[in-house]
Amino acid sequence: MNPEIILHLILWPPLLGFILNGIIGSKFPKWLVTFMACLMPLISFVGTMLAYVNLKDKKTAIELYTWFVGEGAAKVNFGFFIDNLTLVMLFVVTGVGTLIHVYSSGYMADDKGYPRFMAYMNLFMFSMLMLVLGSNLVVLFAGWEGVGLCSFLLIGFWYENLEYNKAAAKAFVMNRIGDLAFLIAIFMTIYATGAIEFEDVKDTIISGVNLNEPIMVVIAILFFIGACGKSAQIPLFTWLPDAMAGPTPVSALIHAATMVTAGIYLVTRMSFLYDVTPIAQTVVAITGCLTAFVAASIALKQNDIKKILAYSTVSQLGYMAAALGVGAYITAIFHLMTHAFFKALLFLGAGSVIHGLHGEQDIRNMGGLKSKMKWTYMTMLIGTLAIIGCPPFAGFFSKDEILAVVYSKNFVFFIVLAISSVFTAWYMLRMFFSTFHGTYRGSEETHAHIHESPWNMRSVLVILAGLSIVGGFAGLPEITGQAHLLEKFLKHAIFQKAFHVSHLFEYVLWAVTVVTLVILFVLTYKRYAGVDRKYTDANENYLAKLLANKYYLDEIYDFLIVKPLKRTGSWLMHTFEFGVVDKIVSIPTAIVQSGSFALRNLQNGKLSWYLLYSIIGLLIILLTFIII
C-alpha cells in the first residue's frame, strides 16, 4: 500500500473532525457530534494498523512539499517519517486516544459545550500525531506547539471559572519556558550540523562529533529543558497537577496518551545526540530521579483523587527520564506504553467515581463505593496493581526493567527510584482503600444517588484493564526464557547498549518487590480500609504538612520568580515608561509647542514688519553664501 495514502489516513481525520465539530457542530444532533468525534481517531488507528502491516522494520520518509527555504540552502520540508518507534507511539496515541474519546461521549454528554469539547479533543489528537510523525525538528515543533495550545484550551474548557483559567494560563506559561529552550536548540542544531531532518542530523553527529563536544552538550540540555516542560520534570512540573482543573477525560488524554509523552519521545528520537553527550545524559538521569522522588512523596499526603494521580504521573515520568538518562531508551518507551494503559485506566476510573458522586473529588469524603460501583472497583483495582508494580500486571515488568538498568549504571539512582516505588505503592493503595472500602463518609444526599457509570464509560475501563494486565508481556525479562518483543521491534529504530545484571539480582528484585507489596498491602488496608470518618490534619507533624503543601514549591516560585517579575513589570510601566520614556518622547512636542507660541507673535498682520523679516532673511542667506 502506498505510504503516502497511509500517512493521510493517519494524520488528517482528527483535523477534519475538529473542523466539522468546531465550526458547525453546534448545529448537529449530539449523536452525530459523537459519531464524528470518535470515528476520526478510530480511522487514524486503522491507518496505524495498515502502517504496521506495510511499513514495519523500515524507515519511510514522506515529503509532501517544501514548506519553506531558509538562509542559504537550508530547506524545510513538510515531511513525515515512519519507523518502528513512530509505530509504537502511533498505537499509543490513536489506540488510547480513541478509547478516551468514546469515554468522553458519556462523561461530557450533558455539558452545554459538548461539540466544542469534542472538537478540541480531535485537534489535540491531530497535533500529537503531527508531533510523532514529523520527519524533522520544525514539523515536530509545529505539533509540539499545537499540543501546548490544545492543553490550554482544554484545561480552561470551563472558562467561566477563574481558577480554571489560572490553571490553563499556568500550564501555557510554564510550557513556553521549555518551548523557548527547544526553539534555541533547533537553531543551534542547524548551526552545528547544517541539517534539520532527523536522519541527516543523526548522520552528521554519528560521523563527526566527539564525546561531550560543548556545543552538543548545550544542545542536548536545551532539548531536555524543552522535554521538561511537556513531560513535567523538575523544575517545570507544577503545572501538571493544576491541569486537573480540566474535565477528567482531558486529564487522561494529557497524562496517558499525548502531551506528557512528548518530551520522552523527543529525547528518544534524539537518542543519537545523548549517546555522544554523557554529561547531558547525567543531567537527564539526575532530573528524572529527583522528579520521581519529589512527586511520589508529595502524592503521599494529597487528598484529591485526581491530584494523587497527577503526582503519580509526574513520578512515573521521572522513572522514564531516569531510564533515558542511563541510555535505556527502549526501556523508557516500554514504560511509556504500559503507563499509557494503566494511567488512562486510573484517570478514567477516577472520572467514573467523580461522575457517580456528582463532582466529589476528595477521598476523605468517599469510602464504601465497592458495592455501589462494582465495574469501576474492579478496573481501578487492576489499574492500581499495575502502577504499583504487582506481578504479573503491566507496570511490574516495565518498572522492574527500569530499576534493573538503573542499578547496572548507578546504585544511588537505583536507591532513589526504589524508595519512590515504595511511596507509589503506599499512596495508590491509600487512595484505593479510602475510596472503595470502609463506610461512606460523604453527605447522605450524595450517597443516595451514587450510581455506576453508563456502558460507554464502563466498556472503555474494561478494555484498558485488559491492556493493563497483558501490556507488560511485550517486554518479558530474560529470566523468563521469553523474548523481549518490544526491544526486538524497536531495535530497528533505536540503538540501545546492552545492560547486564545477574539473574540472581533479578530474582532478588522480584522477591523483594513481592514481599514489600504484601507488607504495604496489609498496612494500608488496616489503616485506610476501615476508616469510617474524615481524616484530620490537626495532629500531623511538620514533614506531613510539608508534603501536603507540596514542599511549598508554588510559594517558592511565587516568591523567587512571579513576584519579582510583577514588581519589575510594575516598575517598568509606572516609573520607567510613564516617568522616563513618556517624558523623553514628549520633549520634541514641548519644543515645537514652545516655538510655535514664540513665533506666533511674529504674525501680527503689519506689512512693514513682514518686509523687515524678509530683508533679515535675505541678509542671513547672503551672509551664509559669503561664509561658505
Side-chain angles (χ1 to χ4, degrees), residues 532-546:
D532 57 359
R533 56 182 173 78
K534 287 187 180 180
Y535 308 148
T536 173
D537 299 332
N539 299 321
E540 289 191 330
N541 57 32
Y542 176 76
L543 180 60
K545 289 179 180 175
L546 183 68

Side-chain angles (χ1 to χ4, degrees), residues 75-137:
K75 188 174 73 171
V76 178
N77 295 321
F78 191 67
F80 300 91
F81 183 74
I82 300 176
D83 63 358
N84 285 6
L85 174 60
T86 312
L87 287 173
V88 172
M89 292 300 296
L90 286 176
F91 272 118
V92 170
V93 174
T94 60
V96 178
T98 301
L99 292 172
I100 293 172
H101 276 72
V102 174
Y103 180 94
S104 301
S105 67
Y107 190 88
M108 297 294 291
D110 298 326
D111 195 284
K112 61 181 180 182
Y114 182 70
R116 179 167 56 91
F117 178 80
M118 297 308 269
Y120 289 165
M121 292 284 277
N122 276 178
L123 184 62
F124 207 142
M125 176 80 84
F126 167 74
S127 301
M128 192 65 196
L129 290 174
M130 179 178 273
L131 188 156
V132 169
L133 284 162
S135 69
N136 59 58
L137 286 163

Side-chain angles (χ1 to χ4, degrees), residues 68 70-76 136-138 182-197 201 204-205 215-216 219 223 270:
F68 58 87
E71 191 81 15
K75 188 174 73 171
V76 178
N136 59 58
L137 286 163
V138 176
F182 188 7
L183 202 57
I184 296 171
I186 292 175
F187 289 130
M188 289 184 70
T189 303
I190 297 171
Y191 170 77
T193 66
I196 195 70
E197 296 286 329
V201 175
T204 305
I205 289 177
I215 189 168
M216 290 300 162
I219 291 172
F223 274 129
M270 299 294 290

Side-chain angles (χ1 to χ4, degrees), residues 566-580:
K566 279 185 175 177
R567 280 198 290 269
T568 304
S570 177
W571 181 85
L572 285 172
M573 184 177 79
H574 293 105
T575 305
F576 184 71
E577 184 179 348
F578 295 159
V580 179

